[in-house]
Structures are given as structure tokens and as C-alpha cells.
Amino acid sequence: MGRLFGTDGVRGLANKDITAELALDLSVAVAHELGGQSVFGGARASAVVGRDPRASGEFLSAAVMAGLASAGVDVLDAGVLPTPAIAYLTKRMNAEMGAMLSASHNAMPDNGLKFFASGGHKLADEIEDRISGRVGSDWDRPTGAGVGRILPFGRGAEFYMEHLLQAAPGRLDGLRIVIDAAHGAASEVGPEVFRRAGATVDVIGGDPNGLNINDDAGSTHLDKLQEAVRLRGADMGVAFDGDADRCLAVDARGGQVDGDQIMAILAVAMHERGELQDDTLVATVMSNLGLLQAMEREGVHVVQTAVGDRYVLEAMRSRGYSLGGEQSGHVIMLEHGTTGDGVLTALALAQRVVSSGRALHELAGVMTRLPQVLVNVRGVDKDRVDSDEGVLAAVGQVEQELGDQGRVLLRKSGTEAVARVMVEADSQERAQGYADSLAQVVRERLAL
């Protein structure tokens, strides 16, 4: 059996991979691991539970809350809210744990479980492994007054919106923005926060019905947002994913602004204000070389991590860095949150547009994206991709030919039997050619 937890919780096809039974058993294990002695002692442990709008979240969140309460944990049911909201509320309410039901940007049939420790922090690998080891084990069940209570937590949305407006207090009067909420968890709080900040807001993808989350909407489908921004004459647009922990943007011309560009804009702004800790931005190895080049010009150092916002966060917490994120739009502002927050990112980006008096496409011009090609190579021994002599020799040859005008990155997928070949170059043709040739070498050398 493989590891239960992936890079971002437990995820799979709802009611097949992610069942009510698994949700209940896993929640009991989480209660025992994170609740400590308070689960059965005097002071009762508590948890905040939320979900995105997908239909399966209704029965799965019920199972999670049942598992926690059966283990003696009091549960605050926050209902439909973004993942970063649940992380924030776990901290604000001094809860020992939090749980979020979401499969993020995945299609509606999937779902997943994410858990937070006290303070709203994601769980370390070793804690996840201990939780996995507890699943299905015998335990003494509390009875009578020892069982937990499940309470509605309607104030959670208001608390979260207050937090966002305090974290990004600049006004947006005069700004017209289109928000694509992906029919997801931020369909209500996202637009409402922007209205409270003074913006004129148009919403698309804001009518969740349990079945349409991420359906041709949100940060993985920007074409409708691009069209809406142009047709409505908006200053910019932002798109969230299903659980709103990521954000991508569109400028007034309809051009895409990805996570690297958003980080570049925010890093420069924070650097100018003296708010960028150690003048450092944290990004993953997948960030575009153009970001690294731009930050060097702006006097900002870049620390790179493995792919995954959890690794970005680990690096940020280890040194107290204030800003980090991923090309996909996960952006973490450590002073204000413990996880990527799409709504907060969008607010900060919009405020930079207003305060600078510059259009979004001008601000995004701080960096030039190099053409980037990613080829997924299947049917190979992915574990040898970074050690095979023939593959390494081919990579070295390409790197020598590219010089400082590009780069090569080979890595194995953390979730599939796939080796990934990524090449950046000064033209799309060169990037594609080198990526295809290296992928062929990987197929020939590492074929199973």
C-alpha cells in the first residue's frame, strides 16, 4: 500500500477512493494525534471544519464531523469557505485542528481531505504518517458527556472577510474588476470582500450548484475571464480555483498574468516598502527563469524549493521570509496566512494596481517569461531520471548550448509513474525542440 497522504492531503474519486468510511476513520485518527490528552481530559479539544461546494462534500464533511465528535472533539461547522479561511479560523478560534473537504482545482467527481494543526499549519510528513498508522486501530470511545458537540459556525465567513480587509487595507475605489470564482468556495466571500474595499465587481463562475465546480471556469480555464474583462472594459480580472487557495489574473487587454508574474509584482512592491524580509522571495524550481532574472535586476534574492506550496511554506517559516509561492498561483504572505490564499493575493495585486496608478500589464512587464515546454514521459523508470549517466550527459549538452538563455529541469512526478522534462529557452521553437529530444533520450534510456 502506498502512502495515504499526497503532497496536499488525501485526494481521489469521491465515494470510491474518498469514502465516508475513510473520512470518518481518518478524522478519528486525526483527533487522537492532534487532540492530545484533551480529547479525553478536562479541557475539550476543538476543530474547525469547512468544505467547497461540490456535492460529495456534503456527506464527506458530515463523516469528518462525526468522526471528530465521536472522539470527543467539539466541532465548529464553518460550511462552504475557502481552504485559507479554514486555516485562518483554526488559528483564530484556538482550535487544536482544522479540516477542509476539497479537491482544489480537480473536477467535481473528485474530493479530498486536508487537515491543519493548531495555528492553522499544514501537517508535517511525519505527523501524517503517524495519523495513517492510527487509522483503523482500536480505541476507547467516550460516552455520555464525553462525546464532542457539533455547532454551526456562521460567523466564520465574517471573521475571514474582516481578516482579509485588515491584511490588505488599501482602498480599491475606481477599480473595475471581473472575478471568476470557479463556482467554488469563494463564490460569496471573494466578490463581497472586493465590494467592501470599494471596487466595482462583475462576477462569473459564481453560481455553485454542487455539480459545476471548476467546470470550464476558474484559474485552469482563463478564456472566459479574458473575454469578460475585454467585453466589460474592466481594469483587470482574477480567477480562483475550487477552494480559492490560488489566484491567476488577466490584464485589461486580456493577457494572462501567471503566478510568477504576480509574485514579481508583489515582491517589488514589498521590497519598495521595506516589507520583504531579507529582500528574499521563495519560489519553486518550476518558476520561470524570467522571474529569477527579473528579481536579480530588482535586488531581490530568490530561494528555490521543491514543487509544492508546503515546501515553499517550510522554507519561509525556517527563515521568516515574508513572500513565496508557485507559478500556478499559490501565493503565501506569511505575515497574514499559513497557506496560499487566492482572495488575499487578488486583493494585494489589485491594490498595487490602484496605488501605483499603473495598468496591470505594465506592472507584469517587470519580468519577461521565457517560453517553457513541459513533456511528461510515461512508461519509464522515473526514479532513475536524475541519476542515469546517458540522461545526465544529454542534459549537460543542452545546458551548454542554452547557456544563460535557458535551463533544463528533469524531475519525477510525486503522484504518477511519469518523468517530467521541462525546458526553457529564448524561443518557443528551441524550447520545444530540446524538450522533445531530451524526452526521447529518457524514453530510450529508462524504458520499463
Side-chain angles (χ1 to χ4, degrees):
M1 177 181 175
R3 190 171 186 270
L4 179 60
F5 285 86
T7 56
D8 196 18
V10 181
R11 192 178 299 181
L13 183 59
N15 216 28
K16 183 177 180 181
D17 304 316
I18 308 299
T19 63
E21 294 85 351
L22 174 63
L24 191 146
D25 290 344
L26 192 56
S27 299
V28 169
V30 168
H32 292 160
E33 181 64 33
L34 301 182
Q37 295 302 313
S38 60
V39 171
F40 303 113
R44 179 113 70 188
S46 62
V48 178
V49 177
R51 64 181 179 87
D52 71 23
R54 66 190 77 212
S56 59
E58 297 167 3
F59 76 81
L60 288 172
S61 64
V64 167
M65 291 187 285
L68 293 170
S70 73
V73 176
D74 285 337
V75 178
L76 295 174
D77 179 9
V80 174
L81 280 178
T83 290
I86 302 306
Y88 166 73
L89 293 170
T90 299
K91 179 179 180 180
R92 172 159 181 165
M93 303 307 294
N94 294 315
E96 281 76 12
M97 64 204 80
M100 178 69 185
L101 284 298
S102 177
S104 190
H105 59 279
N106 285 27
M108 182 278 295
D110 287 349
N111 214 322
L113 297 94
K114 304 178 185 181
F115 294 99
F116 299 99
S118 61
H121 296 291
K122 290 188 175 182
L123 306 183
D125 289 348
E126 58 269 22
I127 295 177
E128 291 179 339
D129 289 340
R130 290 203 299 269
I131 290 170
S132 298
R134 288 179 178 268
V135 173
S137 60
D138 294 332
W139 56 288
D140 295 326
R141 299 170 182 269
T143 58
V147 301
R149 306 296 298 273
I150 300 175
L151 306 172
F153 188 34
R155 295 179 300 164
E158 189 65 32
F159 286 167
Y160 176 57
M161 288 189 287
E162 290 174 359
H163 158 68
L164 292 173
L165 292 171
Q166 290 170 359
R171 296 292 299 173
L172 299 178
D173 301 276
L175 182 80
R176 181 164 190 172
I177 187 169
V178 181
I179 295 176
D180 185 343
H183 301 301
S187 292
E188 293 187 13
V189 296
E192 177 61 21
V193 164
F194 273 85
R195 294 188 187 103
R196 293 187 186 186
T200 298
V201 181
D202 294 321
V203 182
I204 63 175
D207 299 301
N209 60 17
L211 306 177
N212 60 357
I213 188 169
N214 299 319
D215 186 10
D216 198 23
S219 61
T220 55
H221 304 277
L222 289 179
D223 53 320
K224 288 186 177 179
L225 179 62
Q226 291 172 294
E227 181 182 11
V229 168
R230 289 192 298 262
L231 289 178
R232 303 181 192 194
D235 298 296
M236 61 181 291
V238 293
F240 308 129
D241 62 340
D243 68 337
D245 65 351
R246 69 170 73 179
C247 164
L248 295 180
V250 169
D251 65 37
R253 301 173 174 181
Q256 295 186 19
V257 180
D258 69 10
D260 284 341
Q261 292 169 298
I262 291 171
M263 286 192 291
I265 294 168
L266 298 183
V268 169
M270 294 174 67
H271 181 56
E272 290 176 355
R273 298 193 299 262
E275 298 173 357
L276 191 65
Q277 180 67 33
D278 292 342
D279 297 321
T280 297
L281 169 69
V282 181
T284 76
V285 293
M286 287 299 291
S287 277
N288 194 277
L289 179 59
L291 174 64
L292 308 185
Q293 294 171 340
M295 292 299 93
E296 183 177 7
R297 290 193 303 270
E298 297 293 330
V300 174
H301 177 60
V302 178
V303 170
Q304 291 187 279
T305 73
V307 175
D309 63 328
R310 65 185 299 166
Y311 302 112
V312 173
L313 181 59
E314 286 175 7
M316 293 177 69
R317 292 180 64 188
S318 68
R319 296 290 300 274
Y321 297 132
S322 48
L323 181 67
E326 296 187 283
Q327 189 181 63
S328 60
H330 285 112
V331 177
I332 303 169
M333 287 173 269
L334 193 58
E335 181 181 355
H336 305 298
T338 59
T339 185
D341 189 327
V343 183
L344 179 58
T345 300
L347 276 174
L349 184 64
Q351 288 171 3
R352 178 61 170 173
V353 169
V354 172
S355 64
S356 69
R358 301 171 64 192
L360 181 56
H361 77 269
E362 294 180 66
L363 294 173
V366 68
M367 68 166 280
T368 300
R369 285 182 294 188
L370 272 69
Q372 186 181 81
V373 172
L374 177 66
V375 178
N376 293 321
V377 186
R378 304 180 184 277
V380 297
D381 183 357
K382 66 176 183 177
D383 293 324
R384 293 171 49 214
V385 72
D386 55 359
S387 61
D388 181 83
E389 291 184 1
V391 171
L392 295 178
V395 169
Q397 180 63 35
V398 171
E399 288 178 331
Q400 183 177 354
E401 294 178 14
L402 285 172
D404 60 1
Q405 299 302 308
R407 67 180 181 126
V408 178
L409 176 66
L410 267 64
R411 67 183 187 92
K412 60 183 180 181
S413 168
T415 58
E416 303 175 86
V418 171
R420 306 196 194 280
V421 179
M422 190 273 283
V423 177
E424 290 171 347
D426 52 358
S427 72
Q428 184 71 29
E429 292 75 17
R430 290 188 81 197
Q432 188 70 60
Y434 283 130
D436 289 341
S437 65
L438 287 175
Q440 185 59 33
V441 172
V442 170
R443 290 189 190 96
E444 293 173 354
R445 297 282 304 185
L446 307 182
L448 292 174

